[in-house]
Amino acid sequence: MTAMNVHAVRSIYRFEMSRWFRTVGQSVLSPVISTSLYFIVFGAAIGSLMEDIDGVAYGSFLVPGLVMLMLLTQSVSNASFGIYFPKFTGTIYEILSAPISYLEIVLGYVGGAATKSVLLGFIIMATATLFVPVEIQHPFWMLTFLILTALTFSLLGFIIGIWADGFEKLSLVPTLIITPLTFLGGSFYSIQMLPEPWQTLTLFNPVVYLISGFRWSFYGISDVGVGISFGMTLFFLGLCLAVVARIFATGYRLKS
Amino acid sequence: MPPILSITNLAKTYAPRPPRQAAFEALKNVSLDIQRGEIFALLGPNGAGKTTLISIVCGIVTASSGKVTVDGFDNVAQYREARSRIGLVPQELHTDAFESVWKTVSFSRGLWGLPPSPAHIEKVLKDLSLWDKKDNRVMTLSGGMKRRLMIAKALAHEPNILFLDEPTAGVDVELRKDMWNLVRTLRAGGVTVILTTHYIQEAEEMADRVGVMSKGSLILVEEKAVLMQKLGGKQLALHLTSKLDAIPASLSGYKLTLAAGGTDLVYSYDTKGERTGITALLQDVAAAGIRFKDVETKESSLEEIFVSLVREPRP
């Protein structure tokens, strides 16, 4: 038997992607519509009254933040649902009894969820170009931040999906933590616009670093140094990986 | 030939879940060897530990202590080799409701690390009479079809050992017989089959050996025929020409009962004994002036043996 069960990773990945395409209306249309609404309201209606931020028109300034907002929420929701659903229906028995390593399980589920989020990120960026001018100064870094953030938050979603023992808990973390952190993390404004002590307090919000780095890759402007943003992104990725490794080492909520 | 599955001193205690559940000892030091190519039936009432035993072998539940080897491979340290040989059909009908039959069966094959093989999937679906449903969503299948689908998923990856946990629970007589035939076909193809069941008839019909579990312990493992011979009492029924009100005093030394309103005289004897006492009984019955028109013998079924085993406390 080979060192890695590639067929298994591919099977889980395809299964997850097929689930996404099966519900393509809900998976793609709803984020695209809500993003479009953001652009119409904040970009076209209110945006015209706003001043440029660091030389970038407010409508364009919004794009990286909105992509991040969707990326974070969709990564968490896709990945958490992806692993929670087999637990809920009982089909997890097959995953647990198959000759698959935990790494392969994570690759399949998290890889699937992250792919969906990245694709969605591109779709939202394309949608944004219909409303506002969008410039990407550092495409490589844009892609790096996009992929790393999608992976990190898909891992977080995976953790939530394993932890959750009901649909209520599944939506608890995204609703109570992810969405507020994203809204307060500079999706719609530069944190420089905040008065003290909020400006300093905001630096404790991990999402600030993700949005700031991502926005820098678009317009070359950032709230915090891009190196710090990149470092923090890697830190959160490592943190999530460590938690997932711990979950599998103990069989937490998976094996009795 | 070494056993294909070897279970040594396996124990499992489920951790307490306060405040509702205390710690529960589901398996107590179970040891069992399964021979290559046999059909082994694991019998036992609900909560006996059958499913826990299977779940540990398959990797779904972690053992508290003990060792399991599958075809010589440790099921923890060499889980890939061990699990790749096992197919599991769980008791509950866990299915992906929104997927098609074809996709869900192909998914199982992929999980076990095998390259796609449409020809094999087609054969499995045809063997299980699911071929015409291959494009249907799983949610549209009947209960019996879902049960067959679970078997198809387990066979998709060509296992050497197949675990069937209560395979015929809730299926009709016809489907049950189809499943028995399928199990026999699988065995003919070299697959070792281990099934748990409540239906003694199933074990009696199919198994080469029978294991009986009760309260987490494996209380008996025996060749089915030997078990029935060993523990099976027999009964001799004399259908009388005229009704008896009471057993005559001259026959009080025999284990006799009156049945069918006094027209049947039933003698219970043990096949294990050298002498069954039948000859003497028939002479004494004739001497007592009792006439009979027919004679019938009846063997204890596995069910009766099973019930007597799990009811009686072990020494």
Side-chain angles (χ1 to χ4, degrees):
Chain A
M1 184 161 278
T2 52
M4 179 169 272
N5 187 345
V6 180
H7 288 295
V9 177
R10 195 179 293 152
S11 290
I12 297 174
Y13 183 84
R14 277 191 184 158
F15 183 86
E16 282 301 289
M17 293 309 285
S18 131
R19 190 167 63 83
W20 194 55
F21 284 117
R22 207 169 46 221
T23 54
V24 75
Q26 181 202 330
S27 310
V28 177
L29 271 184
S30 100
V32 167
I33 288 174
S34 52
T35 312
S36 302
L37 289 173
Y38 279 123
F39 280 121
I40 292 166
V41 175
F42 292 104
I46 299 173
S48 57
L49 305 173
M50 301 280 285
E51 287 176 16
D52 289 0
I53 299 172
D54 291 334
V56 178
Y58 185 67
S60 302
F61 177 88
L62 276 181
V63 177
L66 282 179
V67 172
M68 255 324 159
L69 176 69
M70 287 300 154
L71 195 70
L72 302 190
T73 49
Q74 290 298 313
S75 296
V76 169
S77 113
N78 273 323
S80 60
F81 197 77
I83 189 68
Y84 178 74
F85 202 60
K87 274 174 55 189
F88 177 70
T89 58
T91 54
I92 192 85
Y93 86 88
E94 203 174 21
I95 304 286
L96 295 176
S97 62
I100 327 175
S101 71
Y102 293 137
L103 175 68
E104 288 152 4
I105 297 177
V106 172
L107 280 176
Y109 280 106
V110 173
T115 307
K116 296 174 210 174
S117 302
V118 169
L119 287 176
L120 204 60
F122 286 132
I123 293 171
I124 290 168
M125 280 186 245
T127 311
T129 58
L130 300 176
F131 297 93
V132 291
V134 178
E135 177 195 6
I136 300 171
Q137 289 184 3
H138 308 283
F140 170 78
W141 286 105
M142 187 279 287
L143 209 56
T144 305
F145 275 114
L146 192 72
I147 292 171
L148 287 181
T149 309
L151 276 176
T152 305
F153 279 77
S154 295
L155 276 168
L156 179 63
F158 188 81
I159 294 164
I160 294 167
I162 286 179
W163 165 75
D165 52 11
F167 282 99
E168 193 190 358
K169 278 191 181 171
L170 205 60
S171 60
L172 201 67
V173 176
T175 312
L176 293 186
I177 300 174
I178 309 291
T179 309
L181 285 183
T182 316
F183 270 80
L184 300 173
S187 294
F188 300 100
Y189 53 84
S190 163
I191 61 168
Q192 318 293 343
M193 294 158 77
L194 292 173
E196 284 295 354
W198 301 112
Q199 200 177 116
T200 306
L201 279 176
T202 296
L203 294 175
F204 289 96
N205 177 356
V207 177
V208 164
Y209 302 93
L210 306 176
I211 293 178
S212 173
F214 195 53
R215 186 171 286 134
W216 170 84
S217 71
F218 278 72
Y219 307 118
I221 56 167
S222 60
D223 287 331
V224 289
V226 68
I228 298 173
S229 283
F230 185 61
M232 289 299 266
T233 309
L234 289 181
F235 172 75
F236 294 129
L237 180 63
L239 193 67
C240 288
L241 279 171
V243 174
V244 168
R246 180 77 192 146
I247 283 174
F248 281 131
T250 57
Y252 173 73
R253 295 261 164 122
L254 283 173
K255 285 192 181 191
S256 44
Chain B
M1 193 179 277
I4 193 160
L5 174 66
S6 186
I7 296 167
T8 315
N9 300 328
L10 204 62
K12 174 67 185 177
T13 302
Y14 287 104
R17 285 187 187 170
R20 286 184 195 163
Q21 288 173 351
F24 173 64
E25 197 178 8
L27 273 189
K28 299 168 187 166
N29 223 26
V30 170
S31 294
L32 174 68
D33 280 348
I34 301 290
Q35 303 306 321
R36 214 167 285 265
E38 73 171 325
I39 300 177
F40 187 89
L42 207 49
L43 292 173
N46 283 329
K50 306 183 297 288
T51 301
T52 299
L53 180 65
I54 289 183
S55 299
I56 292 175
V57 174
C58 295
I60 298 169
V61 169
T62 310
S64 302
S65 61
K67 187 179 168 70
V68 176
T69 58
V70 181
D71 209 3
F73 295 104
D74 186 288
N75 84 326
V76 177
Q78 297 162 300
Y79 69 93
R80 281 193 201 270
E81 288 83 356
R83 290 185 202 170
S84 65
R85 285 158 172 76
I86 297 176
L88 167 65
V89 182
Q91 196 173 331
E92 305 289 334
L93 295 172
H94 302 305
T95 51
D96 296 307
F98 302 104
E99 278 295 348
S100 72
V101 167
W102 178 270
K103 274 190 182 171
T104 196
V105 175
S106 303
F107 173 72
S108 301
R109 184 176 172 85
L111 274 189
W112 261 255
L114 298 178
S117 171
H120 179 71
I121 305 291
E122 181 177 337
K123 183 184 178 306
V124 168
L125 290 181
K126 281 183 174 166
D127 285 349
L128 287 154
S129 313
L130 285 170
W131 180 243
D132 58 331
K133 302 284 178 192
K134 69 183 168 67
D135 298 319
N136 287 37
R137 278 186 172 194
V138 172
M139 64 198 295
T140 64
L141 302 183
S142 69
M145 286 176 191
K146 281 183 187 152
R147 178 73 62 187
R148 277 182 273 153
L149 175 67
M150 301 295 285
I151 298 177
K153 281 167 78 69
L155 295 180
H157 51 83
E158 304 167 45
N160 303 116
I161 307 172
L162 184 67
F163 281 97
L164 297 166
D165 197 359
E166 309 276 355
T168 52
V171 301
D172 59 35
V173 178
E174 200 179 334
L175 180 57
R176 189 175 300 174
K177 288 196 171 150
D178 283 350
M179 288 213 187
W180 293 350
N181 288 333
L182 175 79
V183 168
R184 288 193 191 99
T185 311
L186 287 170
R187 195 256 287 274
V191 178
T192 305
V193 180
I194 299 152
L195 60 96
T196 72
T197 182
H198 281 116
Y199 301 110
I200 316 292
Q201 193 193 358
E202 202 154 77
E204 209 163 346
E205 184 80 24
M206 293 201 297
D208 301 310
R209 284 198 304 154
V210 175
V212 179
M213 289 193 76
S214 178
K215 294 174 187 162
S217 298
L218 189 61
I219 57 176
L220 179 123
V221 177
E222 199 67 84
E223 298 278 335
K224 182 184 68 186
V226 176
L227 176 66
M228 293 193 63
Q229 199 183 9
K230 230 170 163 180
L231 294 167
K234 263 190 150 184
Q235 290 184 323
L236 173 77
L238 302 176
H239 300 303
L240 309 179
T241 48
S242 53
K243 191 179 156 192
L244 271 186
D245 293 329
I247 295 166
S250 61
L251 299 176
S252 60
Y254 297 97
K255 274 192 202 167
L256 286 172
T257 49
L258 275 174
T263 57
D264 280 4
L265 191 60
V266 181
Y267 171 56
S268 300
Y269 61 100
D270 194 346
T271 53
K272 284 183 284 184
E274 281 283 309
R275 301 167 75 90
T276 57
I278 293 174
T279 313
L281 170 74
L282 292 181
Q283 284 170 353
D284 288 345
V285 165
I290 300 169
R291 306 213 165 271
F292 48 92
K293 55 188 176 189
D294 203 358
V295 177
E296 190 187 354
T297 60
K298 196 179 148 221
E299 217 164 350
S300 293
S301 70
L302 201 48
E303 179 149 14
E304 286 155 341
I305 297 171
F306 169 69
V307 168
S308 71
L309 268 173
V310 296
R311 275 199 188 151
E312 284 168 24
R314 303 293 295 170

